Amino acid sequence: MKITATPKTMSEAEALRVARGGGNVFGKVMYGGKDITLKLLYLESREVILNLHYQPAPLMRWLGKDKTHGPTVQKIRMIVEGTRCTASYAEDPLKTCTVEVESENAVQKTEYADEKIFTAAKRPALRMIRRQIGKVAFAELDSMRSVYRPYYIAFFGEMKMGERVRYIPIAADGNQVSRVL
């Protein structure tokens, strides 16, 4: 099965070193000595590009700093995680490559509808633009594409049926995505 994914930049040794840290101090104390099993999964994310139609703030118009003299359109790129449907701002386009995946169990697709993903991307984009520019009239969808991100999932301890296992997802593509309030 071929998928479009971000390139993997982290090796298993680096992921194991991150997992040995335990995520935080309490995790390191409780699970630091247990066996760690690493599994590579590709989780679906959506790259959503929005067209935002807005007018500059009234104060900017009154002061004469509005160079456009009317409504303008701006494109903004948001990345929506497919597992939790949370959006974050992406300044640059994601670099992608085609990856051959041996089984469908290594790929986790999103269960959210396209409308919910669009709404999740639109809300923080409108809030961010409203804070910086002024009044936003509306947002419309320009394009949306699926991109799979590689994650190492570190499982701590033995995986037995009926027992809880602590796990930490570790992004293997090196993309740092910051959340928008």
Side-chain angles (χ1 to χ4, degrees), residues 61-82:
R61 286 183 291 199
W62 291 333
L63 293 176
K65 295 186 178 186
D66 177 22
K67 307 282 191 247
T68 60
H69 301 293
T72 58
V73 178
Q74 179 178 352
K75 289 190 179 205
I76 188 167
R77 179 178 290 106
M78 303 295 285
I79 306 296
V80 180
E81 283 185 13

Side-chain angles (χ1 to χ4, degrees), residues 94-107:
L94 292 176
K95 295 176 184 166
T96 59
C97 62
T98 303
V99 176
E100 181 69 34
V101 179
E102 59 275 353
S103 70
E104 288 191 22
N105 292 337
V107 175

Side-chain angles (χ1 to χ4, degrees), residues 59-178:
L59 182 61
M60 299 304 267
R61 286 183 291 199
W62 291 333
L63 293 176
K65 295 186 178 186
D66 177 22
K67 307 282 191 247
T68 60
H69 301 293
T72 58
V73 178
Q74 179 178 352
K75 289 190 179 205
I76 188 167
R77 179 178 290 106
M78 303 295 285
I79 306 296
V80 180
E81 283 185 13
T83 55
R84 295 182 294 168
C85 202
T86 57
S88 55
Y89 171 71
E91 191 169 320
D92 298 324
L94 292 176
K95 295 176 184 166
T96 59
C97 62
T98 303
V99 176
E100 181 69 34
V101 179
E102 59 275 353
S103 70
E104 288 191 22
N105 292 337
V107 175
Q108 182 177 345
K109 296 184 178 185
T110 184
E111 295 180 3
Y112 294 103
D114 288 346
E115 293 123 15
K116 180 145 174 108
I117 289 174
F118 170 65
T119 304
K122 182 173 76 168
R123 187 178 311 121
L126 290 175
R127 188 177 302 138
M128 186 171 65
I129 296 298
R130 189 177 302 126
R131 286 181 184 164
Q132 301 213 353
I133 295 173
K135 181 182 174 186
V136 175
F138 66 94
E140 63 185 6
L141 181 65
D142 185 49
S143 66
M144 182 185 306
R145 72 173 177 147
S146 283
V147 176
Y148 290 89
R149 292 187 61 200
Y151 280 88
Y152 283 111
I153 310 297
F155 295 100
F156 295 91
E158 283 187 50
M159 294 195 292
K160 293 181 183 177
M161 184 63 95
E163 289 188 18
R164 289 185 141 178
V165 176
R166 183 174 182 264
Y167 66 93
I168 296 175
I170 303 165
D173 59 358
N175 288 329
Q176 296 294 325
V177 179
S178 58

Side-chain angles (χ1 to χ4, degrees), residues 3-22:
I3 58 172
T4 302
T6 57
K8 185 174 73 163
T9 60
M10 181 183 281
S11 67
E12 278 194 38
E14 290 177 82
L16 196 57
R17 190 173 332 117
V18 171
R20 289 253 181 253

Side-chain angles (χ1 to χ4, degrees), residues 4-53:
T4 302
T6 57
K8 185 174 73 163
T9 60
M10 181 183 281
S11 67
E12 278 194 38
E14 290 177 82
L16 196 57
R17 190 173 332 117
V18 171
R20 289 253 181 253
N24 57 27
V25 175
F26 297 114
K28 194 173 197 176
V29 170
M30 291 175 62
Y31 300 102
K34 292 191 176 184
D35 293 333
I36 297 175
T37 306
L38 285 179
K39 184 176 180 182
L40 180 66
L41 290 177
Y42 287 91
L43 306 177
E44 183 180 14
S45 294
R46 298 279 178 95
E47 183 180 41
V48 180
I49 298 176
L50 302 169
N51 288 328
L52 300 175
H53 301 268

